[in-house]
Amino acid sequence: MQVRDVMNPTVVSIAPQESVALAARLLARHNVGALPVCARDGTLHGMVTDRDLVLRCVAAEEDPRQVPVRQVMSRHPAQVAPGDDVRQAAQRMARQQVRRLPVVEGGKVVGMVSLGDLAKCGRYEMEISRALTDISENIRRP
């Protein structure tokens, strides 16, 4: 099974110059945890997560209305291609400790794939379980 078979082709993205406040509103409005940061032509520049907004802006006591997304985004994010095997996507998520990957074709973002998308396909339970375990190991316990 390929990534194109399970990815979400509807992508909500944000431009690097937009504010962190707008990114937060988009995350909330679309009920997603991450946004690809893209140029007008759809070229991927980075990813911004709800965690990035909190740790790199709010916790730093910056004004979310004034801080551009490019200052808090993660650069050079892990990504997959539509033709990649679903197992490869799960392994990449585990290695990079991320729950979502942009799907890039011809340099442009054409979709997003999440651990949830992989779980819905009903296959590869071991790979998905391993990815979630590897991601969760990075979470600090009180």
Side-chain angles (χ1 to χ4, degrees), residues 27 34 37 52-53 64 66-67 76-77 83 85-87 89 126:
L27 289 168
V37 180
D52 293 330
L53 303 184
Q66 302 301 318
V67 175
H76 313 293
D85 187 271
V86 170
R87 280 190 187 99
M126 292 298 293

Side-chain angles (χ1 to χ4, degrees), residues 17-110:
Q17 69 275 9
E18 296 293 348
S19 72
V20 166
L22 176 60
R25 288 193 303 274
L26 288 171
L27 289 168
R29 183 178 303 137
H30 296 282
N31 193 30
V32 295
L35 298 171
V37 180
C38 299
R40 281 196 179 148
D41 66 357
T43 305
L44 183 66
H45 284 235
M47 288 288 290
V48 66
T49 66
D50 47 7
R51 187 170 194 270
D52 293 330
L53 303 184
V54 170
L55 296 180
R56 297 177 182 164
C57 182
V58 177
E61 298 183 8
E62 300 286 343
D63 182 352
R65 296 169 298 179
Q66 302 301 318
V67 175
V69 168
R70 71 174 154 267
Q71 287 184 9
V72 299
M73 72 181 188
S74 297
R75 300 177 193 286
H76 313 293
Q79 55 188 270
V80 291
D84 287 351
D85 187 271
V86 170
R87 280 190 187 99
Q88 289 175 300
Q91 291 166 354
R92 188 155 300 141
M93 287 178 189
R95 266 194 321 275
Q96 299 293 319
Q97 294 187 320
V98 296
R99 297 172 189 265
R100 303 162 199 87
L101 291 171
V103 182
V104 178
E105 185 171 46
K108 313 253 191 273
V109 177
V110 296

